[in-house]
Amino acid sequence: MVTPAAGPGGPYTVVIVGTGFSGLGMAIGLKKSGMHDFVILEKAAEVGGTWRENTYPGCACDIMSLLYSFSFEPKSDWSRMFPKQAELLEYIKHVVDKYDLAQHIRFETEVTGAEYDDATDTWGVTVAGEGAEPGEVVRGRALAAGMGPLHRPSVPDLKGLSSFRGTTFHSAEWDHDYDLTGKRVAVIGTGASAIQFVPQIAKKVGSLTLFQRTPPWIMPKPDRRVTAVERTLFRRVPGVQRGYRNGIYLLQESFVLGFKNPGLLKAASGIAQWHLRRQIPDPDLRRKLTPDYTMGCKRTLVSSDYYPALTRPNVELTTAGIAEIRENSIVARDGTEYEVDAIIFGTGFHVTDAFADAHIVGRRGLRIQDAWRDGIKAHLGVSVAGFPNLFLLLGPNSGLGHNSMIFMIEAQVRYVLRCLEMMTSGGGSRIAVRDSVQDRFNAWVQAKSEGAVWVKGGCDSWYLDENGANRAAWPASTVNYWLRTRRLSPGDFEVGAAR
């Protein structure tokens, strides 16, 4: 059934937040189902999500391009096995054009809050920005939040940071107007972003001091150009590209076996140790870069140029920790003072507390902070008890440390569409997962996480909240998730209609 278009302000069938892979995947799913009555709210002036926001030097995906793309929209002319930011953004823009999504997008329209109306079973989404009217509320029967888990940069609260007179910025908010050439630069953090931008800026800065808290496990990056022969085969024989994609998927998925059985990761950790020994001849530096926790406890990274960058004469790695920041320097806990002109934070994002300040109010005035008083949780990472018609894309416990998030997005989009179908086919105007179902699912998540490498691996991970509970990672195979989201059990939900 094709739904009619809504008038200005709604009510739309669905209000989607964000134009990254999640939001666009949801929009395409709605269109394929014959539902065109939706709006996409985007805070920026163009599409892209993560791949618009992150523009730091060397920014690229750590999942191969043939897998990190929609299964229904293969790209036969990827330039490399691991796509760089610009090419991924180009792919996203292609998807928007092909599926005619621009007509549904309201740019420069930032969501500032959302409240559920019990009387009408609709969501009132407050918006602000250049694309919104003062005090405007966009109304929708359902709300699909596609902001993703990694959208709020995290900057540590360091003593004296506000007194620093130089330039500071987070890797996700890269200051391209600041010329790093010849500058004394400090990088705080050694996660997925830092191992990509450090090799790039090390070539041009005067000096680079890298402050490392925990060394990551790093595997060699098997990146290369996609050959002309391969691109021709992908274009002319689609089955070849599907074969590549399936092979990559199975290879990535094999790592999940080691999450519950860390002994199975010995071969992989052996490769990582060989990679470190081969690229870092200095035993003292190698010791600093050797993880003391089990592989898989944090996301395993891939790079073939990070270690060599640390051997440059203008680069110094320190593990002493930071005592304080002064007007023109950083003082380490061992007393060493480093004069710096700029500080770059590669310190990741808010994950388990991503909604701490969000104004989201569900049924009968339930605030999301009250619903999540004991920790963030959602049924299958999508539906939240007490919040009818609200769907989180890549919500709690649907994150991955080993495979493509787009696989999860496609499974969640299908799940949301079936929820909407269940609601409308039963003549309802609201659908909400039952508290008992959500509780049972989350008990399974925590039980499944017991003994898992990210809980028992000996590291502090963004997968875990302050109490050590897994609130971010999916604790089983992606096949398991695909099966769980394939069909809905009517008894898991309350379906009703506004009176």
Side-chain angles (χ1 to χ4, degrees), residues 3-38:
T3 58
Y12 297 90
T13 299
V14 183
V15 175
I16 301 171
V17 183
T19 60
F21 276 104
S22 296
L24 298 179
M26 187 72 251
I28 294 169
L30 289 169
K31 276 204 160 188
K32 287 185 173 183
S33 298
M35 288 184 279
H36 300 268
D37 176 20
F38 63 88

Side-chain angles (χ1 to χ4, degrees), residues 109 140 254 295 327 388:
T109 305
S254 66
M295 189 179 203
E327 290 184 350

Side-chain angles (χ1 to χ4, degrees), residues 161-457:
L161 178 59
S162 61
S163 68
F164 183 65
R165 290 187 174 182
T167 296
T168 65
F169 54 88
H170 190 278
S171 62
E173 299 168 333
W174 196 271
D175 186 351
H176 290 280
D177 293 329
Y178 183 76
D179 186 3
L180 292 169
T181 303
K183 298 295 196 302
R184 299 167 299 178
V185 177
V187 173
I188 299 176
T190 55
S193 300
I195 72 161
Q196 292 184 342
F197 72 73
V198 162
Q200 304 302 314
I201 68 172
K203 303 170 186 176
K204 62 191 304 186
V205 300
S207 66
L208 192 157
T209 305
L210 181 60
F211 290 85
Q212 172 189 277
R213 184 176 63 176
T214 307
W217 283 97
I218 301 177
M219 296 284 281
K221 188 174 185 178
D223 193 18
R224 63 172 176 81
R225 298 193 71 81
V226 178
T227 68
V229 171
E230 287 171 319
R231 289 197 295 269
T232 299
L233 282 172
F234 295 160
R235 186 174 64 253
R236 295 181 179 177
V237 189
V240 173
Q241 185 166 355
R242 284 196 299 272
Y244 267 65
R245 181 185 177 96
N246 293 340
I248 296 168
Y249 169 79
L250 291 173
L251 175 63
Q252 296 291 147
E253 193 65 9
S254 66
F255 282 95
V256 78
L257 298 173
F259 292 162
K260 290 288 285 186
N261 304 281
L264 298 177
L265 291 174
K266 283 185 178 179
S269 60
I271 294 173
Q273 291 168 339
W274 166 81
H275 182 50
L276 175 60
R277 288 193 304 270
R278 183 171 66 94
Q279 293 198 322
I280 302 292
D282 178 7
D284 290 333
L285 180 57
R286 191 165 62 238
R287 176 181 51 78
K288 291 180 180 179
L289 292 168
T290 301
D292 62 357
Y293 57 90
T294 305
M295 189 179 203
C297 185
K298 291 176 178 283
R299 186 179 179 97
T300 300
L301 308 180
V302 290
S303 175
S304 293
D305 60 0
Y306 175 68
Y307 287 149
L310 303 189
T311 66
R312 296 177 63 93
N314 66 329
V315 176
E316 179 180 353
L317 175 74
T318 176
T319 60
I322 297 173
E324 67 172 320
I325 296 178
R326 297 176 179 170
E327 290 184 350
N328 301 295
S329 64
I330 298 179
V331 181
R333 287 177 182 161
D334 63 3
T336 306
E337 184 172 5
Y338 299 89
E339 300 286 335
V340 295
D341 302 307
I343 300 173
I344 303 174
F345 292 97
T347 45
F349 300 84
H350 291 276
V351 178
T352 58
D353 61 344
F355 288 85
D357 301 321
H359 181 75
I360 302 175
V361 181
R363 202 170 184 200
R364 300 188 182 95
L366 178 63
R367 297 168 62 250
I368 195 76
Q369 291 84 0
D370 294 328
W372 287 348
R373 187 180 295 108
D374 299 324
I376 62 174
K377 54 189 175 181
H379 181 55
L380 294 169
V382 182
S383 302
V384 184
F387 295 79
N389 304 354
L390 172 66
F391 305 102
L392 305 179
L393 301 174
L394 299 184
N397 292 115
S398 59
L400 299 177
H402 70 290
N403 216 324
S404 172
M405 292 302 298
I406 297 178
F407 181 96
M408 303 293 277
I409 290 169
E410 291 191 31
Q412 291 182 344
V413 166
R414 182 179 59 245
Y415 173 89
V416 173
L417 291 174
R418 288 184 177 162
C419 284
L420 294 175
E421 181 183 7
M422 178 184 290
M423 178 181 72
T424 55
S425 64
S429 55
R430 68 175 179 270
I431 183 170
V433 67
R434 297 180 185 276
D435 287 273
S436 59
V437 172
Q438 179 176 276
D439 290 343
R440 185 169 65 246
F441 168 74
N442 280 277
W444 173 84
V445 166
Q446 300 310 321
K448 192 76 173 176
S449 298
E450 289 181 9
V453 66
W454 52 78
V455 175
K456 297 294 186 181

Side-chain angles (χ1 to χ4, degrees), residues 120-187:
T120 61
D121 286 340
T122 59
W123 280 92
V125 182
T126 55
V127 293
E130 292 295 322
E133 297 293 330
E136 183 180 358
V137 176
V138 179
R139 194 157 292 281
R141 302 195 180 283
L143 175 60
M147 298 90 72
L150 307 178
H151 68 280
R152 285 183 57 209
S154 175
V155 175
D157 183 17
L158 298 172
K159 180 182 177 181
L161 178 59
S162 61
S163 68
F164 183 65
R165 290 187 174 182
T167 296
T168 65
F169 54 88
H170 190 278
S171 62
E173 299 168 333
W174 196 271
D175 186 351
H176 290 280
D177 293 329
Y178 183 76
D179 186 3
L180 292 169
T181 303
K183 298 295 196 302
R184 299 167 299 178
V185 177
V187 173

